[in-house]
Amino acid sequence: MAAQFSKDVLRTQFVGKDLGEVITPAVVLDLAKIEANCTLMLEAAERLQLSWRAHIKTHKTEELTRLQVGDKSSSPVNLIVSTVTEGEKLVPLLKEYQSKGRQVNVLYSFPLYASCIDRLSAISAQLGPGALTVMIDHADQVPLLGTLANKSGGNAPLVFLKVNVGSNRAGVIPDTPACSALVDALLASEAQSQSALLGLYCHAGHSYATRRDWEAMGILSAEFASLKQVAALVKQKRTPASKPLVLSVGATPTATTIQHPDLASPTDDTDGFAGTPDLLTTVPTSQLKRLIHDLKADGFALEVHAGVYPTLDIQQLAAHARSAAYLNASLIGISVLADVASIYGARGPGGSTEALVNAGSLALGREPCEDRGDTPGQHYAAWGVVMPWRGGLEKGPVPGPEFPAVHTGWEVAKISQEHGVLRWSGEAAEEVPLRVGQRVRIWPNHSCITGAGHGFYLVVDSKNKGREDEIVDVWPRWNGW
């Protein structure tokens, strides 16, 4: 188990200090941006009358979890965890919500295995019936459900059948003998009161490779269509159930496309167009609207899930899940604070300047942003981007609508364990000079991996005009497994 930090001790140490006064490297969250991103997601799901399930694996904190579910809301609290530790740490918060009359459910999103049963059963026993859901993607996992139910005091776990929709990370492939056998096994388990089949779940991880505005919406439609295919098999084999089968789809690129304004209008036969004339990307809004309408009419409950959307990151900008009016660098709510330790003039390719910062792979994460350009090496393929900030960088370049094909500014060109090497990308005459001792903030490629290297977040709030760099809170992370 990873060491856990005391929030009170951390607040005493950091709150009220400026970002220029703290140790580096450190990971920083901007409360204003995170609140705004969470609100957009909650409003979009409510507008389309879709159930919402928030993944907490990016941040692993109580504070941001509250923002993801709407702390003052009365709606159900549906969450996803990627580690058992996250589930255990959530228990007090979920019991708080239960005491306020909110229905709670937490999904452990890794396919079930034997060594997690005792800890999951403790979570289930504390939260009561219907509060724990597990993931199943192989018939040999199904006997574990009875064990989990017995050790939970008779609380039969809810189950999502995981469907592989193309990312090939986990899940059963639709329309295969393995899929049919798994449905049979889960329905047999349900008939024996060892579990209850909640629904079907998929994760479109391959949507991170999209590069055109709103392109991920087509993948969201494909997710629903794939689950519909398996759902038809379940309905054929299952005796009528008292509750509708839940179809849960998502990944931040696909899930955030439900923020498209056309989706809130009545269904018609005309697709919308993205607001960026440079790309002229046709947006399949009417296709998705019809699919959502038809699935609801067929009696399915529709759910959307996502995790990294509150913080966003460079990977999300590269994916172009939304057009620039709805997704741009100003919405990124995470950065890594680092110090410039040295400058190396003319050391880089073509005589470019390089600089050393004290944030390497452990502070930033060694998570690539896939180069999908026609000519390798032209699109962005670095490990982070220096954001506009003080010290002469206030008006520095940011990733724009043509990113990652067009990218300029200071980028983390190389990393090793503790070393990050910045390199200027763009015309030499436009280089914004750095100096030894300067402090910079770096937007990471992937927030989930970046956070894993840190025990807590320093929280600032850009709504505090004139005090945007003052630390207002510290959020300890629930690291470990």
Side-chain angles (χ1 to χ4, degrees), residues 432-455:
V432 180
L434 297 175
R435 66 180 187 279
V436 172
Q438 183 173 352
R439 190 152 281 196
V440 296
R441 291 169 69 182
I442 300 168
W443 285 322
N445 282 355
H446 191 173
S447 298
C448 307
I449 308 303
T450 297
H454 303 264

Side-chain angles (χ1 to χ4, degrees), residues 105-451:
N105 181 266
V106 57
L107 164 65
Y108 179 49
S109 61
F110 199 91
L112 197 61
Y113 54 96
S115 65
C116 69
I117 296 296
D118 286 348
R119 294 170 68 191
L120 290 178
S121 65
I123 294 171
S124 178
Q126 292 177 80
L127 295 177
L132 176 69
T133 301
V134 296
M135 196 79 79
I136 297 292
D137 74 349
H138 195 284
D140 288 351
Q141 299 158 1
V142 174
L144 295 172
L145 296 171
T147 305
L148 178 56
N150 291 334
K151 292 191 173 185
S152 302
N155 296 336
L158 305 184
V159 175
F160 267 125
L161 186 160
K162 179 70 175 286
V163 177
N164 183 349
V165 293
S167 61
N168 291 333
R169 185 172 71 179
V172 65
I173 298 175
D175 196 27
T176 61
C179 182
S180 182
L182 180 55
V183 170
D184 289 341
L186 286 174
L187 294 181
S189 173
E190 184 174 63
Q192 297 168 16
S193 300
Q194 295 178 342
S195 65
L197 181 58
L198 176 62
L200 311 176
Y201 181 104
C202 63
H203 174 76
H206 54 298
S207 63
Y208 280 63
T210 60
R211 290 295 181 267
R212 294 181 298 166
D213 289 3
W214 303 105
E215 181 181 357
M217 186 182 291
I219 300 178
L220 181 65
S221 294
E223 288 186 87
F224 273 128
S226 293
L227 294 193
K228 180 182 179 181
Q229 181 181 0
V230 181
L233 177 65
V234 174
K235 290 184 73 172
Q236 174 188 335
K237 293 173 174 285
R238 190 186 203 185
T239 55
S242 58
K243 294 184 179 180
L245 198 67
V246 176
L247 307 185
S248 186
V249 300
T252 288
T254 58
T256 53
T257 65
I258 71 170
Q259 296 174 21
H260 195 290
D262 287 356
L263 289 175
S265 62
T267 303
D268 55 40
D269 294 325
T270 304
D271 285 344
F273 287 88
T276 52
D278 292 334
L279 292 176
L280 294 177
T281 305
T282 301
V283 183
T285 53
S286 62
Q287 175 188 353
L288 180 58
K289 283 191 288 186
R290 286 193 297 268
L291 188 54
I292 289 174
H293 174 272
D294 292 347
L295 288 171
K296 288 180 178 179
D298 286 342
F300 297 113
L302 306 186
E303 178 181 279
V304 177
H305 56 258
V308 76
Y309 69 94
T311 59
L312 297 175
D313 50 35
I314 293 299
Q315 283 186 349
Q316 295 303 315
L317 295 188
H320 284 260
R322 293 165 282 166
S323 58
Y326 299 91
L327 174 62
N328 55 68
S330 71
L331 300 177
I332 299 178
I334 186 171
S335 61
V336 173
L337 187 68
D339 287 322
V340 177
S342 194
I343 305 287
Y344 310 106
R347 191 182 74 172
S352 59
T353 302
E354 293 186 333
L356 178 68
V357 294
N358 64 333
S361 58
L362 295 187
L364 286 168
R366 198 176 185 89
E367 184 82 355
C369 189
E370 185 180 359
D371 181 352
R372 295 183 59 80
D374 294 333
T375 303
Q378 292 186 356
H379 283 211
Y380 170 84
W383 304 98
V385 175
V386 174
M387 64 176 274
W389 195 44
R390 62 197 194 189
L393 294 172
E394 293 87 348
K395 297 183 178 180
V398 299
E402 297 181 0
F403 181 82
V406 176
H407 55 103
T408 59
W410 287 105
E411 299 174 351
V412 184
K414 298 187 296 183
I415 52 173
S416 52
Q417 183 168 321
E418 305 296 349
H419 299 65
V421 176
L422 304 182
R423 182 182 298 154
W424 179 260
S425 175
E427 297 295 331
E430 299 176 355
E431 179 183 310
V432 180
L434 297 175
R435 66 180 187 279
V436 172
Q438 183 173 352
R439 190 152 281 196
V440 296
R441 291 169 69 182
I442 300 168
W443 285 322
N445 282 355
H446 191 173
S447 298
C448 307
I449 308 303
T450 297

Side-chain angles (χ1 to χ4, degrees), residues 5-18 22 31 63 455-460 470-476:
F5 290 85
S6 163
K7 183 179 177 72
D8 290 340
V9 171
L10 291 171
R11 283 181 53 84
T12 300
Q13 182 178 356
F14 291 110
V15 170
K17 289 185 176 180
D18 183 88
V22 301
L31 181 60
E63 295 86 349
F456 52 86
Y457 296 102
L458 302 178
V459 181
V460 298
E470 180 183 316
I471 298 167
V472 298
D473 205 355
V474 187
W475 295 352

